[in-house]
Amino acid sequence: MHVACLDMEGVLVPEIWINVAEATGIDELRLTTRDISDYDELMGHRQRVMAERGLRLSTIKEVIADMGPMPGAVDFLDWLRGRWQLVILSDTFYDFADPLMAQMGRPTIFCHDLVVEGDRIVGYRLRLDDQKREAVRAFRRLNFTTLAAGDSYNDTRMLLEADYGALFRPPANVVAEFPRLPVAADYDALARLFEQAGARLEGR
């Protein structure tokens, strides 16, 4: 049995923080894991900016409420679920992900928790350090074969841990640093890569 493990932002939905930056005019929040590979460093930057600019959780949720899956994402998820188990592995937070999951048929998602005081984000709790790779490793220990897709630095350890991993619409700097990972430019291409990989894994 295969388990397909997908990143969320950049693969199924637009980048939340980029949308927040555009909606609020706070350009310092445009940085994502495509730009900064160290997640603690990135979140520390975001927390400082939110505190300095007085950005509240409710404002972020309003932005997310106007977002939706990327074109073709729901059909791709339906295609995957018709073949294999599916889990979303994301470094976002349940407060952010919940309305987006509702629009995609509520696939299982493993992500993190925010620490909130009043209406302000004051910290976060990781589910587990390097949770994407550790989740894939756990699935493999359970004798599942794993196919994974992501777009950013923080996905690469998951992709390399999986039985098969591919990048989806990654930035050029990630492609250059991880040339061994195949690249899909759209959902049809990713479906073909997964289907071919699944067939190889079944026949090995």
Side-chain angles (χ1 to χ4, degrees):
M1 175 63 72
H2 303 324
V3 177
C5 302
L6 302 180
D7 179 35
M8 186 181 80
E9 294 178 74
V11 175
L12 299 172
V13 304
E15 293 285 349
I16 289 172
W17 290 99
I18 290 177
N19 275 264
V20 170
E22 291 175 351
T24 61
I26 304 175
D27 285 341
E28 299 98 316
L29 291 176
R30 294 186 65 86
L31 296 177
T32 71
T33 52
R34 290 177 169 224
D35 307 295
I36 299 176
S37 58
D38 187 302
Y39 190 71
D40 284 331
E41 178 184 346
L42 178 60
M43 282 304 300
H45 164 77
R46 288 169 173 166
Q47 285 179 241
R48 286 191 298 274
V49 172
M50 286 188 289
E52 291 168 1
R53 302 296 291 271
L55 182 61
R56 296 178 177 273
L57 176 59
S58 57
T59 301
I60 296 174
K61 286 184 172 181
E62 288 173 6
V63 174
I64 295 171
D66 288 334
M67 293 172 56
M70 296 193 294
V74 173
D75 288 341
F76 177 66
L77 289 178
D78 289 342
W79 178 86
L80 273 179
R81 281 185 286 223
R83 287 157 177 78
W84 308 308
Q85 302 293 313
L86 168 67
V87 177
I88 310 302
L89 300 177
S90 175
D91 280 328
T92 192
F93 305 96
Y94 284 107
D95 296 83
F96 294 175
D98 187 66
L100 297 168
M101 292 299 101
Q103 297 179 61
M104 294 188 286
R106 290 218 172 273
T108 298
I109 181 170
F110 298 163
C111 59
H112 307 300
D113 295 308
L114 290 171
V115 179
V116 180
E117 293 180 359
D119 194 23
R120 296 187 183 278
I121 299 170
V122 297
Y124 63 95
R125 287 188 293 268
L126 295 181
R127 185 70 42 205
L128 183 72
D129 285 338
D130 203 6
Q131 68 121 5
K132 295 184 182 184
R133 184 177 72 163
E134 292 299 327
V136 168
R137 184 175 289 172
F139 291 139
R140 295 184 68 187
R141 286 201 301 268
L142 290 166
N143 292 319
F144 290 104
T145 51
T146 52
L147 301 98
D151 70 314
S152 298
Y153 281 115
N154 67 324
D155 298 313
T156 53
R157 290 164 69 86
M158 167 182 75
L159 302 183
L160 295 171
E161 182 67 34
D163 293 288
Y164 179 82
L167 289 164
F168 182 77
R169 297 177 182 169
N173 55 327
V174 175
V175 175
E177 290 189 41
F178 297 91
R180 64 175 280 193
L181 291 172
V183 176
D186 55 45
Y187 294 118
D188 288 341
L190 185 57
R192 286 193 297 272
L193 289 175
F194 271 16
E195 201 154 39
Q196 292 164 5
R200 287 197 303 271
L201 291 168
E202 287 166 10
R204 70 184 183 182

